Amino acid sequence: MDMLNSSQHFLIIAWWLAFGVSVILYIALDGADLGAGIFSLFVRDHDERGAIMAAMAGTWDANETWLIVAGGIMFGTFPFVYGSAFIYLMVPMALVLWGIMSRAVALEFRHLASPFWQKFSDGIFGVASLAVTFFGGMSVGAILQGFGLDHPAQGVPHYVGGAFSFVSPFSIWTGVASCIAMTLAGVLFVRARFEKSEPIRQDAARWTAVIFWLAIAAVVITWVWSAILFDWAREKWFGPHFWIWGLFGLLALFCIEQVRRDTLKDKDFAAVLWFNAAAVILGFGMLITMFPYIVPGTWTIWDGASPQVSMITFTMTMGGFVPVMLMYNWYQIWVFRGRISKLVGHEGH
């Protein structure tokens, strides 16, 4: 029995890590696409907007696969969390879903439309990118705050609260901070994908100088606000093992400094990689800070996990997906690393 319990605990932790990795990789990889979409709202040239879409045509759908995997892991491994959290976040998640679908339609059908509808698709693409980023970030802030459950004497606890209980000053701020951070990812992506002589690449370089410092300020504000609001975070960050979290912070600062140095040297692809490294480090730091909670103050990974048989079956079914996805993500990034010009916007994507 003890061996079975140990195996179950190992599987739960393994799938919690897989879920965290999927969310973090989605933010790091698709964040560039979302940020480029937000940046496109400020691009006036018709062909340049089309070229931004063409620049991500080879990778955006693979990047979004990580979100699907995260949802599948949540549904199959932590169904109690899935059921209550998605009721809590029904409104922002519906808007995120609308944004993802609208972005996909705009990307795939822009080149088939008339000039008027191409312009309309451009606007929808930008607004949808902003909506996914803002409401996705808002959802993260709302999850960090937790939500109420009814705790019946028998059966599964259910969410108790209104449709807009997710709205708070902190969740609104995390939505804004997400937009700032993803816009930085987007302009770094544009810098890396366009020829250095292209005007849009030069515009993105000018944006970088401002958005870089805004993103750092957003991270610091979010960290300080989280330390003030959440006991579970404050106890770990300033507790006896504070040096662990300090190490995460130092590693993130090193990566951020490398982003700054490489952007000044026009090493754009390296800057993107360093930015993603910083995002992964900060994401893992928060993931470990939350442990053993998957929703702080509401669901631990132990309480929210499915029964043992389902865990084993799910592991046997999906255990090989993550390494395969990592390999084809890297392959696509490598294949589509070359620079382009706005002329690709003439031919569609």
Side-chain angles (χ1 to χ4, degrees), residues 88-125:
Y88 172 51
L89 299 175
M90 184 176 296
V91 173
M93 285 291 98
L95 292 169
V96 167
L97 182 60
W98 169 84
I100 290 173
M101 292 188 297
S102 299
R103 274 168 46 86
V105 172
L107 275 163
E108 296 297 340
F109 294 103
R110 179 185 189 272
H111 64 288
L112 299 176
S114 65
F116 170 80
W117 288 110
Q118 284 186 348
K119 186 175 181 179
F120 179 78
S121 295
D122 293 346
I124 289 294
F125 176 72

Side-chain angles (χ1 to χ4, degrees), residues 54-56 188-195 336-340:
M56 64 183 70
L188 290 175
F189 172 80
V190 171
R191 286 178 58 141
R193 290 293 280 122
F194 282 83
E195 297 287 351
F336 293 99
R337 70 189 186 281
R339 295 181 183 270
I340 62 174

